[in-house]
Amino acid sequence: MPAFLLRRNVAARQEPSHRGNYQTTAARFTRIAVRRGAATAPEQAPAAVDAVAFESFLLDTQKQILAEAEHLDGSGQKFLTDRWERPNGTGYGITCVLEGGNLLEKAAANISIIKGTLSAARAQSMSSRGRSQIDPAGGQPYSAAALSLVFHPVHPLVPTLRADVRLFQVANCSWFGGGCDLTPSYLFEQDAAEFHGYWQGVCGKYSPDLYAEHKAWCDKYFYIPARKEHRGIGGLFFDDLDAAGAAFD
């Protein structure tokens, strides 16, 4: 466990009702998310990805996150699961929420798997970003799969963590998106440095420029103009990355 997590654990244990730390629960999930969208290859057409295999990956990852989060929380509270279905076989979702734990005030790890037809507005938006495979008139079938994670802790010294990974497919092409960011209630500079250092180490295994690229993307995405500040301490963000990034898994 990273040193800053141990420091926060020590502080949390000063109050018996706040124990443990959830961040290792998200580590595997977000590490895979970064790998899935690790690099772009603009000169190549985005290849098709096995949607069934990716769906299985999301389902397996969600199960592991739920089990690890319940163990780290230590209260005996369980995630409540709500499976919902879209009409006419156009998809489903699995919403899992834990509330009132020792560590986790409220935590969610949710999956959605959907199919549909591109509207003209969405198709025009995608084609305007250089996606020549997209008919701007709309009407093409698409599929999307995503796993999202938000953990809100009980103890104010434990930060809130958000992460997700998603796959969008249309016209036999595939794109990934996702990321991970941290929002502390109390800022500890050493903690922030260690959090970013962890992801820099993960990204550095694949490209020396990958961390800086996705960190800058996150900083821009979570900037709040009205306040002239960034939300939290940032992290990583990537979107609309073609399937060449999957080769990094």
Side-chain angles (χ1 to χ4, degrees), residues 95-110:
T95 301
C96 299
V97 178
L98 183 150
E99 295 184 277
N102 285 344
L103 169 65
L104 298 169
E105 180 181 38
K106 190 170 185 177
N110 304 328

Side-chain angles (χ1 to χ4, degrees), residues 35-47:
R35 289 178 180 176
R36 290 286 182 180
T40 60
E43 72 281 0
Q44 299 177 358

Side-chain angles (χ1 to χ4, degrees), residues 6-193:
L6 293 175
R7 289 194 296 273
R8 299 287 76 80
N9 276 344
V10 170
R13 281 196 293 269
Q14 292 175 357
E15 299 180 37
S17 63
H18 307 302
R19 299 194 299 270
N21 198 292
Y22 69 82
Q23 287 173 295
T24 52
T25 304
R28 176 181 178 273
F29 165 56
T30 50
R31 182 165 58 249
I32 293 172
V34 171
R35 289 178 180 176
R36 290 286 182 180
T40 60
E43 72 281 0
Q44 299 177 358
V49 173
D50 186 339
V52 175
F54 188 76
E55 180 181 346
S56 296
F57 153 73
L58 294 184
L59 292 168
D60 291 343
T61 302
Q62 184 191 42
K63 289 177 182 178
Q64 292 188 30
I65 288 173
L66 299 183
E68 292 179 26
E70 289 174 352
H71 174 73
L72 290 171
D73 181 76
S75 66
Q77 293 287 90
K78 300 295 183 181
F79 280 88
L80 299 180
T81 298
D82 176 28
R83 181 183 173 107
W84 47 268
E85 302 281 345
R86 284 168 57 93
N88 304 317
T90 56
Y92 69 93
I94 303 175
T95 301
C96 299
V97 178
L98 183 150
E99 295 184 277
N102 285 344
L103 169 65
L104 298 169
E105 180 181 38
K106 190 170 185 177
N110 304 328
I111 280 178
S112 59
I113 310 292
I114 63 173
K115 298 178 181 178
T117 301
L118 283 180
S119 66
R122 190 169 188 181
Q124 290 168 12
S125 175
M126 293 185 68
S127 62
S128 69
R129 300 197 299 271
R131 298 305 184 188
S132 60
Q133 305 87 354
I134 306 301
D135 182 352
Q140 290 172 291
Y142 75 88
S143 64
L147 171 58
S148 62
L149 172 70
V150 181
F151 284 169
H152 293 289
V154 173
H155 200 284
L157 295 183
V158 180
T160 294
L161 185 141
R162 184 214 64 84
D164 72 297
V165 64
R166 55 191 179 274
L167 170 67
F168 187 85
Q169 295 183 304
V170 64
N172 203 37
C173 299
S174 306
W175 297 275
F176 290 102
C180 175
D181 63 274
L182 203 66
T183 304
S185 297
Y186 295 92
L187 177 62
F188 296 90
E189 292 186 5
Q190 186 177 354
D191 293 0

